[in-house]
């Protein structure tokens, strides 16, 4: 793509963290695999998981819009997006597209060889699955019968049961397109209809929190339950042993009902942190799978002593958009993500199987876990806004420290144990209203330094959680206003604090009473980022500029201006060559630190709230406003030749990039979009920068270095054992290739007719190169001869030079022309090493002929003068450089 539509450095790779949405999941048993396959919607795509190990098997193609509903049979998975329906095989192969609706589709139901669909206009259509044609269409009036559910009662041939918002139910025969029966209902919206294991019985969930088991044959009520845990959002039956009905609620609770005793069997509070969207009980297995809009998919097993279920496996991601993302470790495989649901997640960039949830931050973690409190637990702490970590002592004690929104408490987390740590760090002397604003964990992993809104800076021990000192004088105040950033150097010798009072202070780590240097800044600092290996400190200012400070020399070395909104996050790359920044103007900028220029800029659909560059430099991870995913951008410099040039932000069209997706292209579109590729022409270095400079040929050394020692090389490479030639057969008759054995007699006749006397086409014995050399009259012709020699191997070059002698088929004129070619090459200062090598081989091979011919000796004098002049020029430069280096070395 051209630069107008793409970034110079980054290209969208993929997105992490998507597991489930509000669309109910689909469970299908695949007999060939011997396991149940789960399909969950993740916006414009759907994931396919295997129940055995909960591994991600495939990702579907991109839909034109979000998926509104999903169903499946033993052959296909059907997804509805906007006005169309898509049929998929193997989770990623699009086989059918069903068109005909004029509104968004809200319900689907596979019915044998047909597919039933209902759109928002309340029109029911029946499609033939193979032919993709509409077989039946029935319109309904919303005021009379607004369809909300659809199911097929077993043993009811060609009949479906429709539920309505008005509370009535209708039984239709689709084969005859006739209404069989109308059920008056219960004056409440029908939310769910699910056939029960008993024949003629259907479970009906109503909007008034009632669950009714109704007999369709006799139109009689069998039993009724009242659901006290919120509205019923999903329902299924467990038929292994005692008949059990399982319901999911809008509050995230799961309740099991004993149908024989007509009572609540067990209940699982807060099974999900949001409404239970889908619930399926596996056939012939004590398993149940649920999904929720809290971005989780869970597998439960009924093996508790009281007959209840426990969590067996789960897949989850951030339920709310993340606040912060950072890479952890040196391999760049794992990301630490802080969500707005007060949870920390570890996301693996290679396989989602290794994703882990570290849990939610709680003031009393044991109490919250023991009482199984819900998402409304008062002990749950506010979301994490800032993180700092060091993996040096990760296996000994906590390695991660986190700041929470509007709290002065700082929590510690264990990356190794994958849970919240034991300590909550509380600084002494704080009053109500003081909050923690910034923090950093030292490079050794022993200490964490925390800055507060009242200007104080405190140091704590990570292992014990004990307070280990306060920055400042007797008043214990490091800055007169809020502290915006704290950093330490690589060796824990210095600490740097930045405040809203426009001051940057440098402290000795062992002496916290007073700073040894104070730098007055032009603008107030909003956040800081330090690259300890290069001793560079980046300051994001409130005037939307960025300042780079060298903490060793305490000097400002660079300043970048170009953002038009509040800077959200900044980060260095692994070599500290780039500084990447994001702001509320939806731009992500890459600044080249050595040149001090902007080298890349692009705009995203939504502002980037946090970013982190991989320690290996392969990916850039970003989070964005209103999106629960973590987006990965690939570094194109690792696999493409890219020449970065300075960019003037105000004179170029900033490209707008779509956020990375789960798949690189849209398979739902039949037409292939052709995009013109406007690549920047690659810079090619000239053959010779200047005629005054001696230029080499850029040929491999094997072409010219061993020309004088070819006889030694051939002797060394000679095989130790001579080649054995097989004896010729006494009689041989050639055959014609065919199915039957036939001899080729004509071949012998043609062979006998040919004469054994070889007559050359020309009486001249000169080679092609020698003929080209004889016909050369100017510098351009001789340059072409040199190009011919460049294409030859070292052995071929030796043959050409040896064949120039008169006794080898050559002539004196050819030898004179060859010397003229070498003289012109040396005078042009090009192909210096080739000319020297060719001259050496020529003198070695034709010493006797040169001594006898005066014409050759005269030509050789001019060649010697050219070679001496070029070598003296090169020798003077070499000796000059050697003397300079030696003088510097002896200083």
């Amino acid at each position: 793509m051209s630069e107008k539509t793409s970034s110079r450095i980054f290209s969208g790779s993929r997105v992490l963290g998507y597991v489930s949405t509000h669309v109910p999941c689909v469970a299908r048993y695949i007999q060939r695999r011997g396991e149940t396959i789960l399909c969950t919607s993740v916006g414009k795509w759907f994931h396919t998981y295997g129940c055995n190990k909960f591994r991600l098997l495939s990702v579907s193609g991109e839909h034109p819009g979000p998926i509104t509903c999903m169903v499946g049979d033993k052959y296909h998975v059907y997804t509805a997006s906007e006005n169309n329906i898509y049929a998929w095989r193997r989770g990623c192969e699009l086989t059918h597209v069903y068109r005909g609706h004029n509104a968004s589709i809200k319900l689907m139901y596979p019915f044998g060889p047909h597919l039933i669909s209902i759109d928002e206009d309340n029109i029911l259509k029946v499609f033939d699955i193979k032919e993709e044609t509409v077989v039946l269409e029935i319109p309904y009036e919303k005021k009379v019968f607004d369809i909300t559910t659809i199911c097929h009662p077993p043993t009811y041939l060609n009949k479906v049961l429709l539920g309505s918002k008005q509370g009535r139910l209708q039984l239709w025969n689709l084969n005859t397109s006739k209404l069989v029966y109308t059920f008056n209902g219960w004056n409440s919206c029908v939310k769910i209809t699910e056939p029960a294991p008993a024949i003629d019985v259907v479970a009906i969930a109503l909007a008034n929190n009632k669950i009714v088991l109704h007999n369709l044959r006799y139109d009689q009520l069998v039993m009724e339950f009242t659901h006290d845990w919120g509205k019923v959002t999903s329902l299924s039956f467990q038929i292994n042993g005692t008949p059990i009905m399982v319901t999911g609620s809008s509050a995230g609770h799961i309740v099991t009902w004993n149908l024989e005793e007509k009572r609540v069997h067990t209940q699982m509070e807060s099974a999900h942190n949001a409404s239970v969207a889908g619930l399926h009980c596996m056939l012939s297995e004590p398993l149940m799978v649920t999904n929720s809009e809290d971005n989780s998919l869970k597998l439960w097993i009924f093996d508790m002593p009281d007959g209840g279920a426990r969590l067996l496996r789960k897949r989850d991601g951030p339920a709310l958009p993340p606040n912060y993302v950072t890479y952890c470790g040196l391999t760049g495989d794992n990301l630490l993500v802080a969500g707005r649901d007060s949870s920390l997640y570890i996301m693996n960039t290679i396989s989602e199987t290794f994703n882990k949830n570290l849990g939610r931050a709680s003031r009393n973690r044991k109490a919250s876990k023991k009482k199984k409190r819900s998402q409304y637990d008062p002990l749950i702490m506010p979301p994490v806004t800032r993180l700092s970590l060091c993996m040096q002592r990760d296996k000994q004690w906590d390695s991660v420290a986190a700041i929470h929104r509007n709290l002065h408490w700082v929590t510690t987390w264990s990356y190794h144990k994958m849970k919240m740590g034991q300590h909550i760090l509380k600084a002494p002397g704080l009053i109500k209203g003081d909050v923690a604003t910034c923090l950093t964990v030292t490079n050794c992993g022993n200490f964490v330094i925390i800055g507060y809104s009242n200007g104080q800076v405190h140091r704590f021990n990570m292992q014990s959680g004990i307070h280990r000192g306060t920055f400042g004088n007797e008043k214990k105040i490091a800055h007169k206003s809020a502290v915006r950033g704290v950093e330490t150097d690589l060796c824990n010798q210095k600490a740097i604090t930045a405040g809203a009072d426009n001051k940057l202070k440098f402290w000795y780590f062992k002496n916290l009473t007073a700073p040894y240097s104070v730098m007055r800044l032009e603008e107030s600092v909003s956040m800081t980022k330090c690259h300890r290996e290069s001793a560079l400190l980046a300051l994001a200012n409130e005037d939307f500029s960025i300042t780079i400070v060298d903490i060793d020399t305490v000097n400002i070395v660079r300043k970048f201006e170009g953002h038009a909104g509040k800077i959200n996050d900044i980060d260095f790359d692994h070599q500290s060559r780039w500084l990447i920044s994001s702001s509320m103007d939806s731009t992500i900028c890459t600044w080249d630190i050595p040149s001090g220029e902007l080298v890349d800029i692009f705009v995203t659909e939504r502002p980037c709230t946090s970013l982190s560059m991989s320690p290996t430099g392969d990916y850039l991870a970003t989070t964005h406003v209103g999106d629960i995913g973590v987006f990965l951008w690939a570094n194109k410099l690792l696999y493409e030749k890219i020449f970065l040039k300075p960019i003037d932000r105000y004179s170029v069209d900033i490209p707008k990039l779509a956020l990375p997706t789960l798949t690189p292209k849209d398979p739902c579109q039949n037409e292939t979009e052709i995009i013109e590729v406007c690549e920047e022409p690659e810079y090619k270095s000239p053959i010779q920068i200047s005629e005054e400079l001696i230029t080499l040929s850029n040929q491999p050394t094997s072409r010219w270095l061993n020309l004088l020692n070819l006889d030694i090389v051939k002797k060394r490479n000679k095989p130790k054992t001579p080649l054995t030639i097989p004896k010729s057969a006494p009689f041989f008759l050639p055959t014609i290739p065919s199915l039957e054995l036939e001899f080729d007699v004509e071949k012998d006749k043609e062979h006998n007719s040919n004469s054994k006397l070889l007559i050359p086409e020309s009486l001249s014995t000169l080679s092609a190169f020698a003929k080209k050399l004889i016909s050369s009259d100017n510098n351009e012709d001789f340059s072409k001869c040199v190009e011919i020699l460049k294409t030859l191997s070292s052995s071929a070059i030796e043959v050409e030079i040896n064949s120039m002698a008169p006794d080898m088929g050559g002539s004196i004129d050819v030898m004179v022309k060859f010397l003229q070619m070498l003289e012109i090459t040396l005078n042009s200062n090009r192909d210096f090493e080739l000319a020297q090598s060719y001259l050496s081989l020529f003198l070695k091979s034709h010493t006797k002929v040169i001594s006898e011919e005066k014409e050759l000796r005269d030509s050789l004098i001019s060649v010697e003068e050219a070679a001496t002049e070029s070598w003296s020029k090169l020798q003077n430069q070499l000796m000059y450089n050697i003397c300079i280096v030696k003088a510097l070395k002896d200083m």
Side-chain angles (χ1 to χ4, degrees), residues 719-778:
K720 297 181 180 179
T721 58
L723 297 175
T724 57
I725 302 175
K727 295 182 179 180
S728 59
F731 180 76
F732 178 76
L733 291 177
T735 58
I736 298 175
S738 62
L739 297 178
E740 298 180 359
L741 181 62
E742 296 183 8
F743 297 99
D744 190 3
V745 184
E746 299 295 329
K747 188 173 182 179
D748 290 339
K749 294 180 180 180
E750 293 176 2
H751 178 71
N752 294 333
S753 63
N754 295 334
S755 175
K756 295 184 179 180
L757 180 63
L758 299 177
I759 302 175
E761 296 178 0
S762 175
L763 296 177
S764 174
T765 59
L766 296 179
S767 63
F769 172 74
K771 293 178 181 178
K772 181 69 175 177
L773 203 58
I774 286 291
S775 61
S776 299
D777 294 328
N778 50 31

Side-chain angles (χ1 to χ4, degrees), residues 839-889:
L839 179 59
S840 301
L841 181 60
F842 182 84
L843 295 176
K844 177 183 177 182
S845 302
H846 305 297
T847 304
K848 185 177 179 181
V849 179
I850 293 173
S851 61
E852 295 174 354
E853 298 292 337
K854 183 178 182 302
E855 186 177 1
L856 291 175
R857 292 196 302 272
D858 295 340
S859 299
L860 197 59
I861 293 174
S862 58
V863 173
E864 181 184 7
E865 293 176 354
T868 303
E869 182 181 357
S870 59
W871 170 247
S872 61
K873 186 188 303 182
L874 181 63
Q875 188 180 25
N876 293 336
Q877 294 293 333
L878 289 176
M879 295 304 297
Y880 175 79
N881 291 327
I882 290 174
C883 294
I884 293 295
V885 171
K886 187 175 181 181
L888 294 175
K889 186 177 179 181

Side-chain angles (χ1 to χ4, degrees), residues 468-482:
R468 292 298 187 188
T470 305
F471 286 65
N473 49 18
E474 297 178 355
K475 296 182 180 180
K476 304 299 181 183
I477 298 295
H479 290 269
K480 294 181 180 180
S481 57

